Structure formats: structure tokens, C-alpha cells
Amino acid sequence: MCGICGVVDLTSAGEASALVRRMNPTMLHRGPDDEGYFDHGSLSLGTRRLSIIDIDGGHQPMFNEDGTVGVVLNGEIYNFKELQRQLKELGHTFRTRSDSEVVAHAYQEWGPACVGRFEGMFAIAVYDGRRQRSAISNQQSAGTRSPEEAGGTLFLARDRLGIKPLYYTIVSNQQSAFSKLLFASEVRTLLASGVVARKLSRAAVESYLLFGSVSEPMTLIEGVVSLSPGHHLTVALGSQSGSISVERYWNLACERPRNGHAKETEIRSAAKQVRSLLEQSVRSHLIADVPVGVFLSSGIDSTALAALASREVSGVHTFTVDFPEDEFSEAIIARRTAKRLGTTHQEVMLSGDEMLSRLGQAIEALDLPTIDGINTYFVSAAARQAGLKVALSGLGGDEVFGGYSTFRRTPQYQRLARAGNHVPAGLKTAMSVAMAEAGGRFMPGDAARKIAAIWQASDSLPDPYYFSRLLFTPPQVSELMNGTVPDGRRSLWWDWLAGSALQARQLDSFGAVSYLELQSYLVNTLLRDADSMSMAHSLEVRVPFLDHQLVEFVTHLPQEVKLNKGTPKALLVAALEDLLPPEIVHQTKRGFTFPWETWLRGPLKQKVENGLSELSPTLAETLNGGIAQEIWQSYLHGKTTWSRPWSLYVLNEWTKKHLD
């Protein structure tokens, strides 16, 4: 696990090296063990290393035998030993046991197609100087350009599901398609370059208000975007004429599983295959030269991982966050699970007062603001203090096996949207007002507002599914943004969500919701938070449920195999029935959340109230402070849930820190 960054500078200023040395130190928390640099002509690369595999030999950048291909890697390639064996048979020689060296040789052998062979989580940057060497030889023979002017290739790639982040920005000029390209593992690192303007993106604010996080591929910073999951980017380097191309190399909706014929699989054989894939995934995710632990709650997913991991490693560490508020505590069940499995268990007690004292640190650790993530910050701190560098997380289990209420709500919302499309506009408006007013009498007010928004204008979002994930409805967002909301249909986040909805139509209704969850809530909120909050403590979080072969297999199974009335995540339970106790399987799903409802009315109340009373000058240009105050009061009077004012508070604090 590392932090990586780089600059391509095609201008005469030649600032690439200086910029990278300004950027790289901002990622010290991502890699406190080592740093490395590579400078060549218009390109400079930097890396911070958290040593996990081949502690002594894994210094980056890593090169092939003759130094023509260099790599910086953030993440882990779990099948690197298998790939190394294949490459040795093809004539490659290796100096280390590291996965980053395997990436260099894999790119040398297979070019961009190498990413299709990688199993793991990764953001990589590869410098390929082979084209440059050939060009230099030809040019010297012809007596044309000097070696320093010759080109080369920079190749960037991100893993299939977006587990590891990679952000970039392009600076253009009139002479070429771009004059500078900067990339990094964190948005804050790009801001530290001094090249990126600290300008808030209004379109990204709209996305944040709608969903509680900024949707791929946008960030809150104007002009800074992410390389989307399952994509790679190639830069042809040159003195004045660089070019950039972005391609998608993996799409779950189109990918057919390699493990059997999923469409013809019955539940018993499907469960057997899922068990095998999960065992393989957990086994590979435990590969490390340092201790590995498991985040353990009372839920099915983390219990499954702890059970499988404990079969591979005796006395594996497990961690649980506990609260004084009993209704939110999962510690008792987690404690029983740990005892039964024989893990080395630790509980982290977190009170509202302690949260208050450390809240500023936690929010500052967010690379981009979201309504989630604080929980990961505290459990990661405990794991790191216990001496761990790696922890397994159950993220992805709900998305793959159907643990969310969205799997039930989305078909209902789709029917509602279709019905609304056949109602005259005037009547539809009147009915939507009545629906919204029904909040508090027949259903929670937030739920009523969502239903009213679908009925009134289902086309205000690309698919009815997205209404199930709304934080604020489109009319509320318009009000918060002073009635001047950007046209979402012209923004990158709309394109990403609309494209995802189109691809999802190739799957059955269960598979479609899985796909949309993976493409939106998981990558935009959960994975982004897990990365920034764990790396704030120099801890690597791994997610075995997001092994791409497992995800491909389960997603393309017929939904009948994954459903069993009365049993949540039925296929997962069937696969692990001998490992999951009944109290885990049949408890009411609660999710891993903090007692925000209690804390925001208690120890955090004054802090949040004061924060919302004074908006960041930058944010105040976009957000209506008066409406923000009304939302806070609405929460205090029980008319909306904690997540709405909390999202505004986090957005405001983040903006103060990074943009004012």
C-alpha cells in the first residue's frame, strides 16, 4: 500500500520534478516507511510506501531488467506469485519478491492488457521508455532530434471496482492538447502542487447534496477528476505534442464469469461455488509479511470473514467499536463470535465526549467529504495502535449479496415512476404536494419527500434506483443552492450514473441493483472513506468480498438463486451455513453506524450548531446558509434525520480547511 503521484510537464519550464517533490510529502500518512522518485525528461513520479510485502526489497519505483519500464503502485496484486511464475517461464528475471516488480514485467510483456491479469486492488503508474529508446536510435541514425526530445508513454490504471483511488487534472494550452498532467492518490496532494486552483465545483456540490458524497468521476475541485474504476489512461509523451486517451478495460454488466455457467446454476451448486471463491479470496487477502486483522461487527459479512480468516491464521486479530449507548452496541455479539472463533479480540469504546474531542482530526482525514467514514477512522486507529498494518473489511457483501433495502425499494420506485408518467402534469403536481405533506403522519418525512420527488419528476435522476439513495431530493437541492442548480445532465456525475443505469439493464432486477450499488454508493462513499480514513493511520484495508471473480459470478446468477424469503443474503448464508450462528443470520440489519442521533442532540450539538451558523466563504457562494439553518432546526424538531444537517456540517468544515 502506498501513495503515488506524478507530473507530466510539456512546457519549457520543466517543473515536473519540483512539483512532485512538493506533492509527495503530503502523503506521508499513506506511506511512512519509504519514499521514492523517478525523473526523466517531461515526467516525474513520486511514491510513499507502507511496507506490506517484501519489506526490505520492495522499494519503489520498481523497474524491469533493463530499466526501460518503471512502476509505482498503490495497492496489492494478490496473484503476483502466479504471475511471476508465468513471466519467469517467458524469460523474465526478478530481483525482489514484490508485487510492484511483477507489474513492471507484466506491462513489459503484455502492455496495457496486463491489468486484465491482475487480481487485487490497485492504482498504478507505468513509465514505458521502450518506445523512446527505439525513437532515439532511429533519430540518432537520421541525425534529427536529440535523445532528450524523444517521447515515451505514461500508463495509469485503476482496479476494476475502484477500491484504490486515482485522481488527475489536465492543464491545457493553445499549442497542444495539454501542457501539464498531474495525478495523485489524493485530491489534497493535487491541491498542494500549487497548480490546481482551489475552486469549488458547483456541479459536484449538487451531486454531494443529492447523495452525501460526490459521484464518480468528479471531485469537489473544479477540473480535478478521478480515473474511473475499470479504466486506464495512456499519455504519449513528447516535447510539445502529448496526447491522452482513456479506455474502459472491464465492465461487470458485460463480463461473463469464468467459474461455471452461472445462468444454469441452482442454489446448492451456487452456494458451493461461492464458498470456494470466498475461501480463495480470503486466503489471498491474508498474504502479507506483516500481521493482518479483521474489522468485526455483529453482521453477517464481517463474521463470515473472521470465520474464514481464523481457519487460515490461528489467533487472528479482530476489532469492534463499542458505544455506551446500548441500542447501538454490537460488542456483545461480536465478543461471542470472537470467543467461538478463538480470535485475539479488542474492543474500542467510543463516547460522545471522545468523539467531540477528536472530531476535527477525523474530518480533516477525509480526502473528500462524505456523510460516512468517521467509524472507519476510529477502528483504524485502534488496529494501528495494536501493531497491525493490514485489516480485512466486509465492504461489498451487502452490494453483492443483496443486504440493502434498495433491493426491495428499487422495483417499487420503478413502478411508481412508470405510473407517474401517465398522469397529467397538473394532477401530478398536486398529488406530489400531498405526498410530501403526508410525511410525519403516514410515513417518515424524508421517505415521503423521496416518493413525491419520484412521482413529480422521475426524470430528474437517471434511474428510479437513485431516489432510494437520496440524501436531499432535487427540489431541496435547488432550494439549498439558491434555486440556481447546475444542469445535471451536462455534468460528468450525471453521465456516470446514466451510463451505469444503461449498463444495468443487461441484468435481471437483482443484478441491476447490485451493479448500481457497486457503481455508486460503494465506490463514491464506502470505498473512498475506507481508503482515506484507514490510510490516515497508515493502515491498509482489504475487501475480500470485492474479489472480481466472486463479484462476476454472483452478479450473473439468476436472482431466484440469491433470494429466500426471511433470510437476508440467502446465498451467502447458504454458502457459509456451518460458520454463521443463527443469532447473526436472523438479527435485524442495523449497519455499522454511530449513535449520531443521540450525539447530535448531546455532546456534538453546540459544535455542529456553531459550524452551520457560519458558512465557509467559499461555500457561501453556492449554499444558502439560511436554508442550512432551517434543516438543522428541522432535525432538532424531529422532522428529518441526523444525516442531513451532518452532511452540511462536514461539507462546510472540509471547505474551510481546504478551499478558503
Side-chain angles (χ1 to χ4, degrees):
M1 178 69 70
C2 301
I4 64 174
C5 64
V7 175
V8 176
D9 182 7
L10 301 183
T11 70
S12 59
E15 295 183 314
S17 178
L19 290 174
V20 165
R21 281 157 180 77
R22 187 185 304 163
M23 295 160 61
N24 205 37
T26 67
M27 298 187 294
L28 176 63
H29 53 282
R30 299 187 70 92
D33 298 330
D34 192 15
E35 68 175 351
Y37 296 94
F38 171 72
D39 300 307
H40 191 85
S42 61
L43 173 68
S44 183
L45 302 176
T47 179
R48 296 291 326 184
R49 184 179 180 223
L50 181 66
S51 304
I52 303 293
I53 293 174
D54 194 1
I55 305 299
D56 297 327
H59 174 78
Q60 296 187 41
M62 191 67 69
F63 296 89
N64 64 341
E65 297 98 330
D66 62 6
T68 56
V69 177
V71 170
V72 290
L73 162 69
N74 172 29
E76 304 289 351
I77 308 299
Y78 299 123
N79 64 331
F80 75 98
K81 292 182 180 179
E82 176 188 343
L83 292 173
Q84 188 183 74
R85 285 193 294 270
Q86 295 175 15
L87 289 162
K88 283 181 177 179
E89 291 174 359
L90 293 169
H92 294 258
T93 59
F94 291 81
R95 299 183 302 274
T96 74
R97 298 182 296 105
S98 73
D99 54 346
S100 53
E101 186 180 10
V102 170
V103 172
H105 288 273
Y107 187 89
Q108 178 187 356
E109 183 67 33
W110 299 303
C114 68
V115 294
R117 297 172 181 259
F118 296 158
E119 296 175 11
M121 55 181 188
F122 56 85
I124 60 175
V126 181
Y127 169 66
D128 183 358
R130 293 172 299 170
R131 191 176 83 173
Q132 181 193 48
R133 175 170 290 189
S134 175
I136 289 174
S137 177
N138 293 337
Q139 290 158 5
Q140 287 176 332
S141 299
T144 55
R145 298 166 61 195
S146 67
E148 290 76 20
E149 292 177 309
T153 300
L154 172 67
F155 176 78
L156 306 178
R158 190 176 176 200
D159 66 67
R160 297 167 179 83
L161 290 156
I163 304 168
K164 292 290 99 185
L166 189 59
Y167 302 99
Y168 69 96
T169 188
I170 298 170
V171 180
S172 302
N173 62 20
Q174 296 179 347
Q175 285 72 42
S176 64
F178 74 96
S179 59
K180 286 187 178 74
L181 179 142
L182 294 80
F183 70 87
S185 297
E186 295 191 357
V187 172
R188 293 170 296 186
T189 298
L190 292 174
L191 288 175
S193 70
V195 173
V196 178
R198 296 177 183 268
K199 182 179 179 182
L200 189 67
S201 166
R202 286 180 55 82
V205 171
E206 179 187 12
S207 173
Y208 178 89
L209 294 175
L210 285 168
F211 302 111
S213 62
V214 180
S215 175
E216 285 281 336
M218 300 189 76
T219 73
L220 274 181
I221 309 303
E222 190 72 47
V224 175
V225 296
S226 71
L227 182 60
S228 294
H231 285 67
H232 56 64
L233 180 154
T234 303
V235 182
L237 305 173
S239 58
Q240 292 181 339
S241 57
S243 63
I244 299 173
S245 62
V246 179
E247 295 182 21
R248 187 170 198 161
Y249 70 86
W250 185 82
N251 184 350
L252 175 60
C254 304
E255 197 75 25
R256 291 296 175 259
R258 288 171 281 179
N259 297 283
H261 301 286
K263 287 293 182 183
E264 303 171 4
T265 305
E266 296 182 354
I267 187 164
R268 184 172 296 178
S269 58
K272 183 178 180 180
Q273 185 65 43
V274 166
R275 174 67 168 258
S276 176
L277 288 168
L278 263 176
E279 288 174 341
Q280 293 173 29
S281 180
V282 170
R283 191 175 300 120
S284 67
H285 281 71
L286 288 170
I287 296 173
D289 294 334
V290 296
V292 181
V294 180
F295 291 159
L296 179 62
S297 68
S298 64
I300 293 174
D301 301 331
S302 65
T303 302
L305 294 185
L308 291 170
S310 66
R311 291 187 160 201
E312 301 289 334
V313 179
S314 177
V316 66
H317 281 76
T318 52
F319 294 86
T320 300
V321 174
D322 193 13
F323 312 106
E325 296 82 3
D326 290 341
E327 66 270 28
F328 291 94
S329 176
E330 302 183 69
I332 295 176
I333 295 179
R335 195 180 305 142
R336 284 200 291 263
T337 298
K339 183 177 181 180
R340 181 171 57 84
L341 297 176
T343 70
T344 302
H345 190 59
Q346 180 175 337
E347 295 173 7
V348 182
M349 179 63 71
L350 183 62
S351 67
D353 290 334
E354 184 178 0
M355 167 62 75
L356 177 62
S357 68
R358 300 173 64 185
L359 181 59
Q361 301 170 19
I363 292 178
E364 187 173 345
L366 287 167
D367 189 43
L368 286 170
T370 74
I371 61 172
D372 208 345
I374 304 297
N375 47 5
T376 305
Y377 179 85
F378 286 96
V379 72
S380 296
R384 196 66 174 96
Q385 288 167 9
L388 296 185
K389 278 190 172 182
V390 179
L392 306 189
S393 165
L395 289 181
D398 285 319
E399 289 79 2
V400 174
F401 291 98
Y404 292 132
S405 61
T406 53
F407 286 83
R408 300 188 304 274
R409 290 179 184 169
T410 298
Q412 299 170 356
Y413 286 0
Q414 290 170 337
R415 290 192 292 271
L416 182 63
R418 286 195 295 268
N421 290 336
H422 297 290
V423 176
L427 178 58
K428 184 158 59 173
T429 299
M431 293 178 68
S432 67
V433 172
M435 290 177 184
E437 291 178 348
R441 288 181 292 179
F442 304 107
M443 67 181 74
D446 295 320
R449 282 186 283 272
K450 288 183 183 181
I451 291 174
I454 299 171
W455 183 260
Q456 173 65 23
S458 61
D459 62 348
S460 59
L461 290 172
D463 189 88
Y465 156 81
Y466 295 114
F467 286 88
S468 69
R469 281 293 177 192
L470 283 183
L471 180 65
F472 294 105
T473 64
Q476 287 177 306
V477 172
S478 178
E479 193 175 23
L480 272 164
M481 298 183 70
N482 297 306
T484 57
V485 178
D487 185 356
R489 291 172 178 80
R490 296 183 180 179
S491 64
L492 294 175
W493 68 261
W494 178 280
D495 292 342
W496 176 259
L497 298 186
S500 299
L502 182 63
Q503 293 293 331
R505 291 170 193 162
Q506 302 178 61
L507 303 165
D508 64 25
S509 59
F510 191 107
V513 176
S514 280
Y515 183 82
L516 292 170
E517 289 284 0
L518 292 163
Q519 292 284 101
S520 56
Y521 179 56
L522 180 79
V523 69
N524 297 334
T525 303
L526 299 181
L527 290 177
R528 188 184 294 159
D529 291 348
D531 175 82
S532 64
M533 292 309 216
S534 62
M535 291 308 295
H537 300 288
S538 304
L539 179 79
E540 175 177 290
V541 168
R542 298 178 176 180
V543 282
F545 282 111
L546 295 182
D547 172 84
H548 75 94
Q549 294 183 71
L550 174 66
V551 173
E552 289 166 7
F553 178 75
V554 176
T555 300
H556 289 274
L557 286 170
Q559 61 188 24
E560 295 78 19
V561 174
K562 292 175 276 190
L563 292 171
N564 182 7
K565 189 174 182 180
T567 302
K569 291 183 268 197
L571 179 57
L572 178 59
V573 171
L576 303 174
E577 58 185 352
D578 59 318
L579 301 180
L580 299 173
E583 69 172 342
I584 298 289
V585 173
H586 298 296
Q587 67 176 323
T588 301
K589 179 176 175 58
R590 65 171 88 186
F592 180 32
T593 187
F594 282 9
W596 294 114
E597 195 76 36
T598 301
W599 290 351
L600 287 181
R601 296 179 186 276
L604 298 184
K605 179 181 178 181
Q606 197 60 52
K607 191 174 187 69
V608 173
E609 195 165 271
N610 292 342
L612 290 177
S613 67
E614 185 179 351
L615 289 187
S616 146
T618 300
L619 187 59
E621 297 176 4
T622 298
L623 197 71
N624 188 313
I627 301 299
Q629 286 288 315
E630 289 180 13
I631 290 168
W632 172 246
Q633 291 301 318
S634 181
Y635 161 72
L636 293 178
H637 289 90
K639 296 180 180 179
T640 192
T641 59
W642 63 268
S643 58
R644 278 113 188 134
W646 174 249
S647 69
L648 299 178
Y649 174 78
V650 174
L651 174 63
N652 190 40
E653 294 301 307
W654 190 91
T655 306
K656 287 179 182 178
K657 172 67 177 177
H658 298 290
L659 300 186
D660 284 349

